[in-house]
Amino acid sequence: MTPSDPDTMMTAMVRAQELTFDTGQRFTILTCDQQLYRVAVQVLWAHPDRFKDMCLRLGGMHALMSFVKAIGTLMAESKLSDILTEMFGGVQKMLSGKKFPQNVRALRLLAEKVLRSIITCGEFKTADDLMSALEERASQSKTVRVWVDVLIKPVFLMMSYVRAEREGDWLLHLATFRQMLPYYFAASHVHYARYGLYYLRTMEKLPPHVLSHFMKGEHVTRHIRGIWNGIWNDQFIESTFMRYGHGSGGIIGITLKEETLKVWALSRHLCCRIEHGLNEMEKGETSHTSQLYHKEEGKARIQADGKDRAGIRQKLEAYVDPLDSNEHPDGIVNIASGRVATPAVNVHDAVSIGETMLADFEKDLPSGFYNTISKKVTTMAVVGKSLQVGDAKAYDLNAIYARVIALLASDYDVDIKDVLSYELAPVPTSMFKKDGMRIAKGKSALKNSLQVEVSSRNAGDADVTVIDGSALLWKIHWPANGTVADYITNVKKRVASYLVDSDVYLIFDRYDDYSIKSVTRDGRETGVSRTHRLSLTTKLPAQKVVLSNVENKKQLIRIICNDLTGDRLFHNRSTEKHKLVVTGEDPCPTEIKKEDISIRYDLETYHEEADIIIVQQALKCASEARRLAVVSDDTDVFVLLVHHYEAKLKLPMKMESPSKGRAVVDIQRTVEKHRDIVKQLLPAHALSGCDTVACCFGVGKGSVVKCLRAGYKLNTIGNVDASFNDVIDQATAFMSACYGVKDAKDMSQTRLYVWGKKNGKGHTSTPNLSVLPPTREAFAENVKRAHYQAILWRILDTNDLPKLNPEDFGWKKDTSNKSLTPSAIPDGIKLAPDYIMAMIRCGCKSKNPCSSKKCSCVASHGSDCTIFCACYPIGCARVK
C-alpha cells in the first residue's frame, strides 16, 4: 500500500502511540507533510476516541515550500523569475516550491535589493516606520501594491517563520502562519488553505501539558546543541532518514525486499548514533558540542551573498523601479517591458481577496469544510497567456490541434480538408507565438544574398552622406563612467568626420503613439524598461538601458539634436565647407552651415520610420550630389534604396555600415544585376516578414528570392488603387509558391497540400501546427498589414502621409499602452469545427471503466472514448 493509504497511515499512528507510551509520555506529537496530514486528520476524525491524545502537526518546511510556490503563482509574468535567473539556476523550480532553502535565500536577496531605493532615501528607526512608508507608496500605485503585498511582505513572513523555528518561538510560529494563510487562499493552494486553517485552530487549542512544552521551544528539533539552529520536524526527517536513504549507505535503489527495508528503517537511527559516536571519538569531541555561530556568518557565504546582490541590483537598474509610483501608469505595469496589464488583472488585491476567502471559508465550518475554494485572483500570467475561444479560454496553442490528432488516432471519420480550413489554435501559429507576432530574424539574409560589394577604395568618396542616426548611436564609443555630455562629444566627433568630405543628412527615428512598429519595439526593449531623466550632466546609464528603451532613447535623441543645432563652436569648426541637416522629432529638419541655421521646409515629412525618411531625403538631395552614400546596415533601407533607385536615380550610390571596416554595397550595380526582380522586391519583402508584418514559420528570404526569379508578380501590393481581392490573389499565389505549392488559389488549399506532404512518405510523426500555412482568414489579416506597409514604402517621396486607418489594415488599438497590436484572426471566425470544440473527455479510472452513465462519454449519447480519456491506459473497450 502507498504511504497515503488510510490503512498505512492508521498503522503508523498506532505505532507512534505505542512508542510514545513506551517512553512514559501521554501525548503523541505526529508531524506530516500536507498529503499525509490530510489522511491523518481523516483517520483521527474517524477514530476520535482512539487518538484523543494525538496532536497532529503540519510539516513546517513543506508549508514554507508551498508558501514560496504561492508567491511564484501570484507574481507570475511580473518578471520576478527573469530577475532571479540573472544570478540563480533552476528559478522555475525555486518558484514552484522546490530547491529549498535556495529559493528562500534568493527571494530574501531580491527583496533587499527592491527595498534599496526606499531605504537609501529615508530614515527608518523601526520596522513599523518602513512598513508605513511602503503602505504609503502602495496606496499610490497598483504596481507598488503588487510588489509590496505579494513579494516584500511575504519575504518578511518567511523570515519571521524561519526565525520562529530557529529560536523555538511557538507564539511567533502561530502568528506568522496565520498571516500566511490568505496567500494560500489567493494562490488557490486549496489543500494548504483548507487544512492549514484546521492546523492553526487545533494548535491554538493544545492541551495545557503540550502547550507548556511548546512554549519552552520543545516543538523544534536540532542536529546539535546551539543557538539559531532549530529546524522543523519534517526538515529533520528530510536531512536524516531521507538523505541517508539516498546516500552511500542508503537503501533507496538497492532493494525493494520488505524485510530488508524494515530492518534498515528500524535500525538506521542506532547505526547513525554509533557512527556519530565513533566520529566524536576520532575528532576528540564530545556529545556536548554546541554550535556557536551560523553558516550564514561564514566568509564564503557573505562573499556569495555580495556577488548575488550585485547581480540582482544590476538587473533591477534596467527595469522600472517597482516601488517608485512616479514611474507607473494607472494599471499594473510589467517592470521589464513597461506594458500595462488589462483591467481584468486584480493581483494587487490578492491579500484582501485571500482574507475574504479565509473568512468566508471559516464561517461555513464545519459543514463547509469540503466546499470548493474557487480561484478569485487573476494574475498577469493568466491574462498574458490565455485567449478567448468561444465561451471559454484557451491556454495552450496546441490544445485544439491535439484533439484533431486524437480523433485521427482513434479512427474517427474526420474530413481533414474541412478541419484544416480552420486555424485549430487561438492564433495562427505559423505567424504568431504565444507571446506575440513572429518577427523575421533573418532579414539580413535577403540583403546578403543580393548585395554587390565593392571595396571602400573603389567606391569613391561621396559628396552627400545620409546617415541612419539611430544605428550610429550603437556604434559610437559609450563612456562607461562618463556623462551624457561626454557621449554627445563622441557623437559630434563622429559626425564631424563625415563632414570633412561631404554634406551630411543625419536622421533619427521618431516614436509616435499608436505606431505600427509597436510590436517590434516591444520585442526589442524587453528587459529594459526603466526610464531615466537625462540631461547633459546626467551620469550615463548603461548603453542598453538607454538605447533599448523608447523613452530614454527619445530623450537622448532630443538632447543630441538640440546640442548639434545649438553648439556654435561645433558649427564653425565642422560646417565651414559642408552643411549638416539634422532630422529629429520635428516635421521639418534643421540645416546648419557655419553660422547660418535654417529650417528645411522642402524636407518636411510626417513619416515616423527613419528607414523611410533616409530614402526620402536621399532621393531629394540626389539632384545636388555627384556621388551619394547612405550609412546604414538595415535591410529595409537596402530594399527601399534598390526599389526607388531603379525608377528614379542614375548617379553612383553606395550603402555602407556605421561600423568601420565592413564591406560597401554598390546600389547601382546591385540594381543592374537583379533588374529582373527589383520591381517585385519591395512588396515581396513586406509580405514575407518585416518589422511590421509577421513572417511565416519555415519560409525564409532565400525562398522569397527563388520565387521572385520564377516570375511571380506582386505589383498590386502597395498600390493604393488596387482592389484588395487582387492583392489577396497575388499574395496567395506567391506565398503558396514559397511553401512549394504552385498555382494555388486559396491559402487553406495550400495548407491541406502541405499537411499531406508532411504526412507523406518518409514522415513518421504528425507535423507541428506551426509548419502549416495559415488559413485564408488569418493570412488575409497579414496581407492587409503588408499592403499598408508597402503603400508607405512606395509613396515615400511624397510629403503627405496617405489618409489610411491602420485599424482597417490588420491592427487593433491598445489604449492601455498607446500602441497598435496585430490582429491574429478576424472576430467571429471559428477556430475549429463545433464537434471538435465540444469533444467529450471522460475521467473514468475504475477497473471496469465507462460501464455506466456516470461516464461523460456514455452520457453524451454514447460517444466513443478517445486517447485523451482517462480510461485509455486502462484498456477501455469504448476507445476505437
Side-chain angles (χ1 to χ4, degrees):
M1 289 186 287
T2 62
S4 59
D5 188 282
D7 290 340
T8 305
M9 177 53 66
M10 186 169 181
T11 301
M13 293 169 69
V14 170
R15 178 58 179 160
Q17 276 188 326
E18 292 173 354
L19 292 173
T20 303
F21 294 155
D22 288 346
T23 60
Q25 181 176 310
R26 173 185 171 185
F27 294 98
T28 303
I29 314 299
L30 184 65
T31 301
C32 312
D33 62 22
Q34 189 278 321
Q35 182 185 17
L36 298 182
Y37 181 83
R38 180 178 58 172
V39 180
V41 167
Q42 292 169 350
V43 171
L44 186 148
W45 288 347
H47 306 279
D49 295 333
R50 183 166 189 172
F51 298 109
K52 63 181 180 179
D53 292 333
M54 177 166 286
C55 300
L56 296 177
R57 287 201 62 203
L58 187 61
M61 182 191 74
H62 288 88
L64 184 56
M65 291 168 65
S66 181
F67 187 70
V68 172
K69 184 178 180 180
I71 296 175
T73 299
L74 295 173
M75 291 293 289
E77 290 302 314
S78 65
K79 295 304 175 182
L80 172 66
S81 60
D82 287 13
I83 300 171
L84 295 178
T85 301
E86 188 73 11
M87 296 306 301
F88 304 100
V91 170
Q92 293 304 321
K93 285 188 176 181
M94 284 186 181
L95 295 181
S96 66
K98 306 297 182 182
K99 298 195 72 172
F100 175 85
Q102 292 94 325
N103 50 12
V104 174
R105 173 176 175 267
L107 290 173
R108 174 174 58 82
L109 294 178
L110 174 58
E112 288 179 18
K113 293 296 101 182
V114 171
L115 285 168
R116 183 171 178 265
S117 63
I118 189 173
I119 292 176
T120 54
C121 66
E123 295 184 3
F124 305 104
K125 295 182 179 180
T126 65
D128 290 339
D129 293 340
L130 175 60
M131 296 308 298
S132 297
L134 290 174
E135 279 299 320
E136 182 180 356
R137 293 200 179 198
S139 65
Q140 300 170 1
S141 165
K142 291 180 180 179
T143 303
V144 178
R145 175 62 67 189
V146 170
W147 283 80
V148 169
D149 282 1
V150 191
L151 176 70
I152 294 174
K153 287 184 179 179
V155 169
F156 289 166
L157 289 177
M158 287 193 303
M159 296 300 99
S160 178
Y161 193 65
V162 171
R163 177 184 176 182
E165 210 68 15
R166 295 290 183 266
E167 296 181 348
D169 190 333
W170 177 243
L171 295 182
L172 181 60
H173 168 81
L174 293 181
T176 305
F177 190 77
R178 166 60 184 83
Q179 296 179 69
M180 292 163 60
L181 280 175
Y183 290 91
Y184 293 130
F185 278 91
S188 295
H189 287 204
V190 293
H191 295 310
Y192 269 98
R194 179 177 285 115
Y195 288 93
L197 179 60
Y198 172 80
Y199 165 74
L200 178 67
R201 297 301 180 231
T202 54
M203 293 298 101
E204 291 172 342
K205 298 178 180 179
L206 285 173
H209 178 73
V210 176
L211 179 61
S212 65
H213 284 278
F214 280 14
M215 292 294 290
K216 297 175 185 177
E218 295 178 13
H219 61 287
V220 304
T221 51
R222 290 180 170 86
H223 287 291
I224 59 175
R225 298 179 181 182
I227 57 174
W228 193 257
N229 64 354
I231 59 175
W232 299 278
N233 295 339
D234 53 334
Q235 185 180 6
F236 190 91
I237 296 170
E238 292 283 347
S239 58
T240 52
F241 264 72
M242 298 300 292
R243 181 165 63 89
Y244 298 148
H246 287 89
S248 58
I251 196 68
I252 297 176
I254 303 301
T255 182
L256 293 176
K257 291 182 179 180
E258 185 176 348
E259 288 302 317
T260 306
L261 289 170
K262 187 186 299 183
V263 170
W264 185 91
L266 295 177
S267 64
R268 186 59 189 168
H269 64 291
L270 296 175
C271 295
C272 288
R273 181 176 294 181
I274 295 172
E275 182 181 3
H276 182 68
L278 291 173
N279 288 334
E280 286 183 344
M281 292 173 60
E282 180 183 3
K283 296 177 181 178
E285 298 175 348
T286 69
S287 59
H288 298 292
T289 300
S290 298
Q291 178 180 337
L292 301 179
Y293 66 91
H294 197 273
K295 64 181 180 181
E296 296 282 350
E297 301 174 285
K299 183 178 180 180
R301 177 54 62 86
I302 292 174
Q303 290 177 343
D305 284 355
K307 180 181 178 181
D308 291 339
R309 286 190 182 98
I312 293 172
R313 182 171 65 249
Q314 183 179 5
K315 190 74 173 180
L316 284 171
E317 286 174 351
Y319 289 173
V320 171
D321 187 344
L323 299 187
D324 187 354
S325 59
N326 295 322
E327 296 186 24
H328 305 159
D330 292 336
I332 301 174
V333 65
N334 182 309
I335 67 167
S337 67
R339 293 188 66 82
V340 181
T342 65
V345 175
N346 64 351
V347 69
H348 59 289
D349 293 326
V351 176
S352 59
I353 292 173
E355 288 282 5
T356 302
M357 294 173 68
L358 170 60
D360 291 343
F361 178 78
E362 189 166 19
K363 183 175 61 176
D364 292 337
L365 295 179
S367 60
F369 186 80
Y370 292 108
N371 286 354
T372 301
I373 299 177
S374 302
K375 186 173 184 179
K376 296 183 179 180
V377 175
T378 303
T379 68
M380 297 181 75
V382 172
V383 172
K385 69 182 182 180
S386 67
L387 291 151
Q388 200 71 25
V389 181
D391 296 328
K393 287 184 176 180
Y395 297 89
D396 187 348
L397 295 186
N398 290 308
I400 304 174
Y401 185 56
R403 293 185 180 188
V404 175
I405 304 306
L407 290 176
L408 293 173
S410 301
D411 293 330
Y412 268 70
D413 185 13
V414 176
D415 184 352
I416 194 63
K417 180 179 180 180
D418 174 62
V419 168
L420 289 179
S421 66
Y422 296 86
E423 197 57 54
L424 304 180
V427 294
T429 55
S430 57
M431 302 185 298
F432 285 77
K433 299 179 289 185
K434 66 178 182 179
D435 55 352
M437 191 173 75
R438 290 187 187 273
I439 305 297
K441 300 295 185 183
K443 289 195 306 179
S444 58
L446 180 65
K447 177 173 175 282
N448 295 337
S449 65
L450 297 179
Q451 65 187 17
V452 175
E453 298 179 1
V454 294
S455 68
S456 56
R457 289 178 295 177
N458 296 334
D461 294 328
D463 51 0
V464 174
T465 302
V466 182
I467 302 175
D468 182 348
S470 297
L472 189 68
L473 296 181
W474 285 97
K475 307 302 179 183
I476 294 172
H477 173 65
W478 195 271
N481 297 316
T483 63
V484 173
D486 296 330
Y487 177 71
I488 292 179
T489 299
N490 293 340
V491 173
K492 289 189 287 190
K493 287 180 181 178
R494 186 67 176 271
V495 173
S497 68
Y498 289 109
L499 284 166
V500 171
D501 299 314
S502 67
D503 293 340
V504 172
Y505 289 74
L506 182 62
I507 298 153
F508 292 102
D509 270 319
R510 296 166 177 173
Y511 297 92
D512 298 337
D513 292 338
Y514 300 107
S515 167
I516 62 174
K517 295 189 75 171
S518 300
V519 173
T520 305
R521 287 169 179 164
D522 283 345
R524 287 175 181 167
E525 72 175 357
T526 297
V528 181
S529 59
R530 176 167 293 189
T531 301
H532 294 261
R533 296 178 179 87
L534 301 180
S535 66
L536 286 171
T537 57
T538 304
K539 185 180 183 301
L540 198 62
Q543 184 183 41
K544 183 181 178 182
V545 171
V546 177
L547 299 185
S548 295
N549 178 280
V550 167
E551 292 302 321
N552 293 335
K553 194 173 181 181
K554 283 168 64 176
Q555 291 183 69
L556 180 63
I557 290 173
R558 190 178 299 121
I559 294 171
I560 291 173
C561 291
N562 290 339
D563 197 82
L564 286 174
T565 56
D567 189 345
R568 297 290 181 176
L569 181 60
F570 172 75
H571 300 168
N572 290 328
R573 287 180 176 178
S574 303
T575 64
E576 184 176 0
K577 295 181 179 180
H578 297 98
K579 63 187 177 186
L580 171 64
V581 180
V582 180
T583 303
E585 60 187 359
D586 295 327
C588 297
T590 301
E591 181 178 308
I592 304 160
K593 184 67 168 66
K594 205 172 182 180
E595 296 183 354
D596 295 329
I597 301 177
S598 58
I599 304 299
R600 289 291 298 269
Y601 293 102
D602 60 314
L603 295 178
E604 181 182 19
T605 181
Y606 291 90
H607 281 285
E608 176 194 9
E609 294 183 67
D611 304 345
I612 291 177
I613 302 174
I614 288 168
V615 180
Q616 189 181 61
Q617 293 193 10
L619 295 176
K620 290 191 175 183
C621 67
S623 60
E624 60 188 63
R626 295 189 305 274
R627 286 181 177 273
L628 189 63
V630 175
V631 179
S632 176
D633 266 335
D634 194 86
T635 300
D636 292 353
V637 173
F638 170 79
V639 171
L640 290 174
L641 287 175
V642 168
H643 175 83
H644 289 281
Y645 185 95
E646 191 271 342
K648 302 178 177 93
L649 299 179
K650 299 292 182 184
L651 79 166
M653 177 187 286
K654 65 179 179 179
M655 181 179 180
E656 58 186 58
S657 171
S659 300
K660 295 181 179 179
R662 291 189 180 178
V664 176
V665 179
D666 189 322
I667 297 297
Q668 187 177 33
R669 293 186 185 179
T670 299
V671 171
E672 292 172 356
K673 181 178 179 181
H674 304 291
R675 195 171 293 277
D676 59 326
I677 64 170
V678 164
K679 290 183 178 180
Q680 313 303 324
L681 186 59
L682 183 148
H685 177 54
L687 184 62
S688 59
C690 58
D691 286 347
T692 57
V693 182
C695 65
C696 288
F697 183 85
V699 177
K701 295 297 182 179
S703 301
V704 171
V705 174
K706 182 179 179 180
C707 290
L708 287 178
R709 296 202 186 282
Y712 286 90
K713 303 297 182 184
L714 295 168
N715 53 291
T716 61
I717 297 179
N719 186 342
V720 180
D721 299 324
S723 72
F724 190 65
N725 287 336
D726 292 339
V727 171
I728 282 288
D729 289 344
Q730 283 195 341
T732 299
F734 180 78
M735 288 304 296
S736 295
C738 292
Y739 276 103
V741 182
K742 296 181 179 179
D743 303 323
K745 307 254 183 227
D746 183 272
M747 212 62 195
S748 294
Q749 176 187 344
T750 303
R751 182 177 170 90
L752 178 63
Y753 179 86
V754 173
W755 163 275
K757 186 176 179 181
K758 295 292 184 182
N759 274 295
K761 186 176 179 180
H763 293 269
T764 59
S765 61
T766 303
N768 192 300
L769 186 59
S770 61
V771 306
L772 301 181
T775 58
R776 69 171 72 89
E777 295 85 3
F779 180 65
E781 293 297 294
N782 209 46
V783 173
K784 289 178 184 178
R785 291 186 284 270
H787 186 45
Y788 183 89
Q789 181 65 81
I791 289 173
L792 297 183
W793 283 347
R794 284 186 187 273
I795 62 172
L796 60 77
D797 54 341
T798 60
N799 290 336
D800 297 327
L801 289 173
K803 294 181 180 180
L804 301 174
N805 185 356
E807 292 182 79
D808 297 330
F809 288 85
W811 280 283
K812 295 180 179 179
K813 270 190 177 182
D814 178 358
T815 54
S816 298
N817 296 287
K818 295 183 178 180
S819 62
L820 293 174
T821 58
S823 170
I825 300 175
D827 295 335
I829 299 297
K830 291 183 178 181
L831 304 182
D834 292 337
Y835 68 91
I836 289 179
M837 295 300 293
M839 190 176 74
I840 302 299
R841 177 191 182 278
C842 74
C844 304
K845 296 181 180 179
S846 63
K847 295 180 179 179
N848 187 21
C850 310
S851 57
S852 70
K853 287 191 176 182
K854 291 182 179 181
C855 170
S856 53
C857 291
V858 174
S860 181
H861 305 290
S863 300
D864 291 316
C865 295
T866 69
I867 61 172
F868 277 127
C869 292
C871 62
Y872 178 76
I874 304 173
C876 176
R878 297 182 57 82
V879 178
K880 278 193 174 183

